[in-house]
Amino acid sequence: ILVLSCDLPFMDEATLRRLLVARNARPAEAVLTTFQQVETGYIEALVAVYEPACLPFFEEARSKGLRQLNLVIPEAFQARIPYTRAEARKGRDPRLFLNIILPADLERARRLLSPGM
C-alpha cells in the first residue's frame, strides 16, 4: 500500500520511483519501505510502502493506543532509504519532504517558489 501524505506539494515522480524500486529490493522481513533523514534519524512514515503483512503491528498499536505512525513498525521490519541534507543540495530538491500544515508553512513554500530561491 503506497502511502503519500496530501500535504507534500514538492514531492516528485523521481522520488516516488526511488521508493518503489527500494520496495521491490527490500529484505524479505521488511513490511515497511520508507525514507530516513540521516541527520535526524526521522523516517518519512507518510511517504512509504506498507505491506499487507504489517497489519498485526497496526492492530497491536491500536490496542495500546499508539497513534504515532513512525513508531508502529519496529525498525527490524523496515527498509529505509537514507537521504541527507547535503544530498538535497547536490541536485535533489531540498523541499521534497516539506509539508504544508500551518499558514507559516504555506508562506515558507511561497518564498521557496519565488525567483532566486
Side-chain angles (χ1 to χ4, degrees), residues 47-65:
V47 180
V49 177
Y50 291 85
E51 303 301 325
C54 71
L55 184 58
F57 294 108
F58 281 102
E59 289 172 340
E60 181 181 355
R62 186 180 59 162
S63 73
K64 294 178 178 179

Side-chain angles (χ1 to χ4, degrees), residues 13-116:
E13 181 180 345
T15 302
L16 294 177
R17 286 189 186 281
R18 185 176 174 201
L19 174 64
L20 295 176
V21 166
R23 183 264 174 192
N24 290 337
R26 76 192 186 288
E29 68 276 3
V31 296
L32 165 64
T33 305
T34 190
F35 290 91
Q36 180 180 29
Q37 214 279 329
V38 172
E39 288 88 352
T40 64
Y42 181 79
I43 66 165
E44 301 290 346
L46 292 176
V47 180
V49 177
Y50 291 85
E51 303 301 325
C54 71
L55 184 58
F57 294 108
F58 281 102
E59 289 172 340
E60 181 181 355
R62 186 180 59 162
S63 73
K64 294 178 178 179
L66 178 62
R67 296 174 190 254
Q68 194 170 346
L69 190 56
N70 64 327
L71 299 177
V72 171
I73 308 297
E75 188 174 342
F77 297 95
Q78 298 178 15
R80 296 176 174 187
I81 307 161
Y83 73 95
T84 66
R85 292 180 182 132
E87 177 184 355
R89 289 189 294 269
K90 292 180 184 173
R92 293 203 191 277
D93 192 336
R95 306 171 295 183
L96 285 172
F97 297 105
L98 173 68
N99 56 345
I100 308 296
I101 298 173
L102 303 171
D105 300 328
L106 180 57
E107 284 306 312
R108 180 177 175 210
R110 286 182 176 143
R111 284 193 309 274
L112 289 170
L113 285 172
S114 67

